[in-house]
């Protein structure tokens, strides 16, 4: 027999030490000799106190303890040793002369590992000590390995559990209890795990545990924990079933792992990949996925849906004048308004509370996309578009300034306008550009007619660059007539593009492109220069004097040193400033800035006339009429068009003329086509008119003839 367990790698390397406690010296010697003969080291004590002292100083691996001692008895010594949890597993062999049952029981209760009756059989004692040491070493190894496991589980945030299905008894490791947020201790059932989980995930968990073994013997899934704390926590639950020999589900053993960090990282990545960080709206990728899904749904259910493309009008201008920071805030505000606006859209038939029937996304820049699923009829999309435009029209405060935004919206419908995602996107885009081309601030459905016109857009842009380089632009002049005398008192200069492939193009086809590309600046300068030169040529030819109106684009006004350009052109051409009139859009005038006032003041100072073009179509605030040094306004064609049939337009036109008169502003009515319109305007004391009733825009030679002749009334 070998007591030295040092060949076992987990055991101490030196021989085990036995503490022998007996008041009988002979007995101590006998036992000590026997154990040393077997390779053990020994120390011994003759009474209880000595035993306790020696126990502390020598730290024995096993203790042989006589029950009857002179001072403290063996029970007391044993009890005191066991008091320290460190000594919980130390093998203590109690040696007793009293072998009645009560004593044996008491020995075990006070913590003896085993007992042995006197008289001691030395051979049996040696054997007993050997096995006790062996068992003790195994126990130490087990405890250590359990500790290591617990530590590993803590680090991995991994707990394990076992469920005795038949008895519904659940064992949870310490870490499992911790992860699930339960109290330590107490008896448990599988419901403890289920109720630790988030209410909405409980059915999933219960279902998985109930069904395990029917098909698979293994389950694994992620779920949320009950949100008792503010932070959302996620766990991964895994379990494997075992069967008893009657084939019944007997036990389920599994793990629970805290995977919150992984989940949060996943969420963050998903957010970055699918959402726009400025507005929090879905980005292009997510929108495209939703669109794809809803096309599939529409195909299955035969329902209709609409795709709206929204583009903010003149956003570039805000970015350029107020800075990117203000631009960003404007976009965020627009996103917020769109979200609140679509949330209470009632035209979309809601089925079973299905969320996501409306998706608002920001694919990029100043563009927004809106997906309306399951609409009842195509006109529902227009209702939404109108509502959006109404909501956006309220001014936004940016850096203490009231900024007005309008939007252009293009609409395409599934299945009418395209059977796949590519067609729907393309057609919504074409519809949007149609709106942009036709005065912005509106909405339009896609139609095949738009398509034909837009195919050549690309051509137009490249043609525009070429035209600027090669002087392929040309000017037309439309007379402005004094309503009483019929004399031509002015001309509006209107540009045309002589496109290499497409022929003569009207400004609607290329001005917005010029604005988007910045080409509007050289283009505007070209128009002004050539207009002035033409004027001077007419003057030199001795034609009657008149004033010449030139259109100014908002972008051009803000992008260039506009005032200086005009000044230089006047000097270069010799054009008399008081004969030049600049047609400004309302959007130029909406800006309250001091620099705008300075630019306009400087132009006015030179004697240039300033008038507001397309009056009434832009913004409702008329404050600017008093703030800026203006000379007149042009009532937009859209108001004149339906006069005198449309009583609203009649009232509006009357009001504009009356207001202009009180502000001492000249009124030009544009788009006059009929005798009735002319008659109406004359009776309301409008002074100047322009329109096809007199002449369309004409070339320079034709205009010279009209100028000389006038229009007899
Ligand atoms: P606008 O300044 O409102 O010019 C008037 C437009 O109405 C012109 O169209 C003119 O041909 C049209 N018009 C005039 N009388 C009548 C009428 O009785 N009936 C109808 N149906 N139309 C009439 P045009 O030449 O196509 O110009 C469209 C717009 O393009 C202009 O609107 C102006 O905003 C812009 N534009 C034209 N030339 C220039 C330019 O040189 N620079 C800039 N920045 N914009 C320009
Ligand atoms: Mg004009
Ligand atoms: Mg106009």
């Amino acid at each position: 027999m070998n007591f030295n367990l040092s060949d076992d790698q987990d055991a101490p390397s030196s021989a085990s030490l036995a503490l022998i406690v007996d008041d009988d010296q002979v007995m101590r010697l006998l036992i000590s000799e026997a154990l040393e003969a077997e390779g053990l080291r020994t120390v011994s004590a003759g009474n209880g106190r000595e035993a306790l002292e020696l126990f502390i100083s020598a730290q024995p691996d096993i203790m042989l303890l006589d029950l009857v001692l002179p001072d403290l008895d063996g029970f007391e010594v044993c009890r005191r040793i066991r008091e320290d949890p460190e000594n919980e597993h130390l093998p203590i062999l109690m040696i007793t002369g009293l072998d009645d049952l009560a004593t044996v029981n008491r020995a075990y209760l006070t913590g003896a590992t085993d007992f042995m009756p006197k008289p001691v059989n030395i051979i049996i004692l040696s054997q007993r000590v050997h096995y006790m040491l062996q068992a003790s070493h195994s126990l130490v190894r087990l405890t250590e390995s359990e500790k290591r496991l617990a530590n590993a589980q803590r680090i991995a945030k991994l707990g394990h559990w076992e469920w005795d299905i038949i008895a519904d008894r659940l064992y949870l490791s310490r870490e499992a209890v911790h992860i699930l947020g339960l109290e330590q201790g107490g008896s448990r059932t599988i419901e403890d795990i289920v109720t630790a989980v988030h209410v909405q995930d409980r059915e999933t968990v219960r279902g998985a545990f109930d069904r395990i073994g029917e098909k698979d013997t293994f389950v694994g899934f992620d779920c949320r924990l009950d949100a008792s704390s503010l932070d959302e926590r996620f766990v991964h639950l895994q379990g494997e079933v075992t069967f008893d020999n009657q084939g019944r589900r007997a036990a389920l053993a599994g793990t629970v792992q805290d995977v919150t960090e992984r989940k949060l990282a996943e969420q963050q990545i998903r957010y970055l990949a699918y959402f726009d960080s400025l507005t929090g709206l879905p980005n292009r990728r997510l929108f495209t996925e939703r669109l794809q899904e809803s096309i599939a749904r529409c195909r299955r259910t035969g329902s209709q849906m609409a795709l709206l493309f929204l583009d903010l009008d003149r956003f570039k201008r805000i970015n350029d004048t107020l800075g990117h920071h203000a631009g960003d805030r404007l976009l965020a505000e627009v996103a917020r308004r769109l979200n609140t606006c679509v949330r209470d859209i009632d035209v979309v038939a809601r089925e079973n509370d299905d969320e996501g029937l409306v998706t608002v996304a920001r694919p990029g820049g100043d563009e927004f996309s809106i997906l309306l699923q399951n609409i009842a009829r195509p006109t529902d999309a227009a209702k939404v578009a109108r509502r959006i435009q109404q909501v956006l029209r309220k001014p936004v405060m940016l850096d203490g300034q009231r900024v007005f935004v309008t939007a252009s919206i293009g609409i395409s419908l599934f299945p009418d306008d395209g059977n796949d995602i590519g067609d729907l996107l393309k057609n919504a885009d074409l519809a949007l550009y149609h709106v942009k081309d036709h005065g912005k601030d509106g909405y339009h459905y896609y139609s095949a007619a738009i398509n034909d016109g837009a195919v050549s857009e690309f051509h137009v842009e490249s043609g525009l660059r070429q035209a600027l380089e090669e002087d392929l632009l040309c000017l037309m002049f439309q007379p402005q007539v004094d309503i009483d005398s019929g004399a031509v008192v002015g001309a509006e200069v209107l540009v045309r593009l002589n496109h290499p492939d497409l022929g003569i193009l009207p400004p609607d086809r290329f001005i917005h492109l010029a604005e988007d590309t910045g080409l509007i600046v050289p283009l505007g300068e070209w128009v002004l220069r050539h207009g002035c030169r033409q004027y001077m040529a007419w003057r030199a030819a001795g034609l009657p004097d008149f004033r010449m109106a030139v259109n100014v684009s908002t972008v051009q006004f803000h992008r260039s040193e506009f005032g200086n350009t005009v000044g230089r052109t006047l000097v270069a051409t010799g054009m008399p400033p008081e004969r030049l009139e600049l047609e400004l859009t309302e959007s130029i005038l909406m800006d309250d800035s001091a620099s705008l006032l300075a630019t306009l003041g400087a132009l006015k100072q030179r004697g240039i006339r300033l008038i507001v073009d397309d009056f009434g179509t832009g913004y409702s605030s008329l404050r600017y009429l008093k703030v800026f040094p203006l000379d007149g306004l042009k009532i937009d064609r859209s108001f004149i068009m339906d006069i005198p049939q449309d009583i609203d337009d009649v009232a509006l036109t009357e009001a504009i003329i009356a207001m202009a008169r009180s502000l001492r502003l000249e009124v030009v009515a544009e788009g006059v086509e009929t005798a009735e319109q002319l008659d109406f305007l004359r009776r309301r004391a409008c002074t100047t008119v322009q329109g096809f009733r007199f002449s369309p825009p004409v070339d320079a030679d034709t205009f010279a003839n009209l100028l000389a002749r006038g229009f007899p009334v």
Side-chain angles (χ1 to χ4, degrees), residues 462-475 495-500 503-504 510 519 522-531 533:
S462 57
L464 182 59
R465 289 180 194 278
Q466 200 182 336
L468 270 166
E469 281 158 20
E470 298 173 18
D471 253 8
L472 297 177
L473 295 168
C474 63
L475 295 181
V495 70
R496 298 290 181 264
L497 170 63
N498 198 348
H499 191 277
I504 303 268
F510 61 89
L519 288 173
L523 188 147
E525 286 173 14
W526 190 96
V527 170
L528 185 64
R529 194 166 60 248
H530 284 77
R533 278 195 201 148

Side-chain angles (χ1 to χ4, degrees), residues 492 551 583 613-615 634-637 670:
E492 179 173 10
N551 290 286
E583 293 195 358
D613 199 359
D614 304 340
F615 185 82
K634 266 179 119 168
I635 305 178
D636 190 64
R637 191 165 67 82
E670 71 179 327

